[in-house]
Amino acid sequence: MKKKRVVAKEIYTLADLKDWHDVDPPIRLGVFGDPVEHSLSPRMQNAALKHCKIDMQYARFQISPDELREAIDLIRKPEFVGVNLTIPHKIAALRLLDLADENVRRIGAVNVIKVESGKLHGFNTDGRGFARAIREVFSVDLRDLRVMILGAGGAARAIALQCAKENSERLVIANRSFEKAQKLADQLRDFFAGPKVLGPVARLQAIPLEEAAIRFQIGNVDLVVNTTPIGLNRGDPSPIPTRVLAPHLMVYDTIYSAARTPLVSAALEAGARGANGLSMLLHQGALAFEIWFQREAPIEVMRTALL
Ligand code: NAP
């Protein structure tokens, strides 16, 4: 009897996972999110798989929060290599892992799962992806920088931990809910206990996400990083207005929905350097590929696919 040919879908669901019909090449990787249709990960990961002649593909999975447990259980099937997790699953997936690496435990969020002998091993590549992105776009290492992070959520925690581990000169965390910024700073206090203080300012500080407080810090900061969603939607303002920014700054927006996000535009207008989050997306994806396949990711192929 002739075998029925199954056509690949743009987006898979929990129902598909439960009643799996493979396509050619077989789906062994994917991203779980809600919403997920805008994810650029399939584009770069599929380009990498093809380039490396790995006979499998990476797909989008629309999974709601109440479906996450079942969906994650279903990828234990030995054929699955792993998945990425995006909004809103990075924190909820933590309790569904069998093993979590040190980064995941400290950050409290997971963005990469690798399936190994039916066990789910969690990783977080956002911090290292960020460090590689900063090195690439501004030709500088985090250890040389005084950094201000806007936000204190999952991405901010990954970036703050990376700055701490790389011994950044200074770290300022600015958040709408000040207590969350304070809590994050407290968790990192040990890393910043050393004497590497420049001038009268504290090495580690939490501040409210308010213009006056940010203005006060700008002269003692080299790199500003936005991890809030301000700028994601059309018509959003910049999270920091041009009048507060200064020409000496490097400004990195983790948002990549436009080449010139509102913050990047404000930075350029102020005479500063600015970049959007596409490079971080690329590098965190390349690190995920390296975790899954234990081989170097074809970074230029992935970059071309993203652009
Ligand atoms: P999250 O955990 O929900 O944290 C969001 C943060 O933004 C919180 O600190 C929150 O403050 C703040 N915030 C939310 N709405 C705000 C508003 N209207 N005004 C001021 N502050 C606001 O989210 P996440 O996982 O960290 O992700 C945040 C962003 O990072 C997303 O836009 C995502 O695209 C980006 N990201 C990019 C990459 C990349 O590869 N380029 C990777 C990861 C994440 P409160 O604490 O006061 O609620």
Side-chain angles (χ1 to χ4, degrees), residues 152-182:
R157 291 205 299 273
I159 289 169
L161 177 64
Q162 195 66 29
C163 292
K165 283 181 160 179
E166 296 200 19
N167 202 18
S168 291
E169 295 274 350
R170 200 172 172 237
L171 181 64
V172 179
I173 301 158
N175 197 42
R176 179 176 63 178
S177 318
F178 173 69
E179 324 75 64
K180 265 172 77 178
Q182 189 71 64

Side-chain angles (χ1 to χ4, degrees), residues 44 86-87 90-91 109 111 126 129-130 150-159 174-181 209 226-230 232 239 252-257 276-285:
M44 68 171 160
T86 186
I87 285 174
K90 288 186 182 183
I91 295 169
N111 72 331
D126 280 343
F130 169 76
L150 314 180
R157 291 205 299 273
I159 289 169
N175 197 42
R176 179 176 63 178
S177 318
F178 173 69
E179 324 75 64
K180 265 172 77 178
L209 188 73
N226 177 39
T227 71
T228 76
I230 307 173
L232 203 53
Y252 193 83
D253 197 343
T254 64
I255 294 172
Y256 50 80
S257 53
N276 78 355
L278 210 60
S279 48
M280 178 175 165
L281 179 77
L282 169 69
H283 287 291
Q284 64 76 33

Side-chain angles (χ1 to χ4, degrees), residues 132-163:
R132 287 189 182 185
I134 294 301
R135 204 168 301 135
E136 180 181 293
V137 295
F138 298 127
S139 308
V140 64
D141 285 328
L142 290 178
R143 70 163 180 275
D144 299 322
L145 297 176
R146 299 169 298 173
V147 183
M148 181 193 283
I149 301 175
L150 314 180
R157 291 205 299 273
I159 289 169
L161 177 64
Q162 195 66 29
C163 292

Side-chain angles (χ1 to χ4, degrees), residues 8-236:
K9 295 182 181 181
E10 272 297 307
I11 298 182
Y12 289 83
T13 64
L14 178 64
D16 294 316
L17 272 175
K18 282 194 214 173
D19 181 24
W20 194 244
H21 295 285
D22 235 326
V23 291
D24 185 27
I27 293 167
R28 295 288 177 264
L29 290 155
V31 53
F32 286 3
D34 183 15
V36 78
E37 63 267 30
H38 301 300
S39 172
L40 296 177
S41 294
R43 214 193 277 177
M44 68 171 160
Q45 297 294 357
N46 280 325
L49 291 167
K50 196 167 175 196
H51 178 84
C52 295
K53 300 189 169 51
I54 300 172
D55 188 35
M56 51 180 79
Q57 62 177 304
Y58 180 110
R60 289 183 182 83
F61 290 86
Q62 167 67 42
I63 303 292
S64 68
D66 58 347
E67 293 172 336
L68 185 67
R69 176 179 289 276
E70 199 175 353
I72 284 195
D73 245 356
L74 287 164
I75 61 158
R76 282 179 196 278
K77 284 189 290 184
E79 315 93 80
F80 252 83
V81 174
V83 288
N84 280 126
L85 298 161
T86 186
I87 285 174
H89 302 317
K90 288 186 182 183
I91 295 169
L94 260 186
R95 59 191 155 75
L96 308 174
L97 299 173
D98 299 307
L99 287 158
D101 81 340
E102 191 237 342
N103 264 355
V104 169
R105 291 196 301 273
R106 273 189 176 273
I107 296 161
V110 51
N111 72 331
V112 179
I113 293 180
K114 182 176 186 183
V115 188
E116 287 176 301
S117 315
K119 296 251 183 281
L120 305 178
H121 196 159
F123 301 85
N124 192 312
T125 60
D126 280 343
R128 282 197 296 145
F130 169 76
R132 287 189 182 185
I134 294 301
R135 204 168 301 135
E136 180 181 293
V137 295
F138 298 127
S139 308
V140 64
D141 285 328
L142 290 178
R143 70 163 180 275
D144 299 322
L145 297 176
R146 299 169 298 173
V147 183
M148 181 193 283
I149 301 175
L150 314 180
R157 291 205 299 273
I159 289 169
L161 177 64
Q162 195 66 29
C163 292
K165 283 181 160 179
E166 296 200 19
N167 202 18
S168 291
E169 295 274 350
R170 200 172 172 237
L171 181 64
V172 179
I173 301 158
N175 197 42
R176 179 176 63 178
S177 318
F178 173 69
E179 324 75 64
K180 265 172 77 178
Q182 189 71 64
K183 192 173 163 206
L184 177 54
D186 287 344
Q187 287 167 349
L188 298 173
R189 195 129 334 255
D190 286 354
F191 287 97
F192 291 90
K196 208 175 175 181
V197 183
L198 299 169
V201 289
R203 271 194 80 193
L204 178 64
Q205 213 169 338
I207 62 168
L209 188 73
E210 288 167 8
E211 183 168 333
I214 291 171
R215 185 188 292 279
F216 189 76
Q217 296 290 338
I218 284 292
N220 291 302
V221 161
D222 310 300
L223 172 68
V224 174
V225 186
N226 177 39
T227 71
T228 76
I230 307 173
L232 203 53
N233 297 316
R234 201 180 275 268
D236 273 358

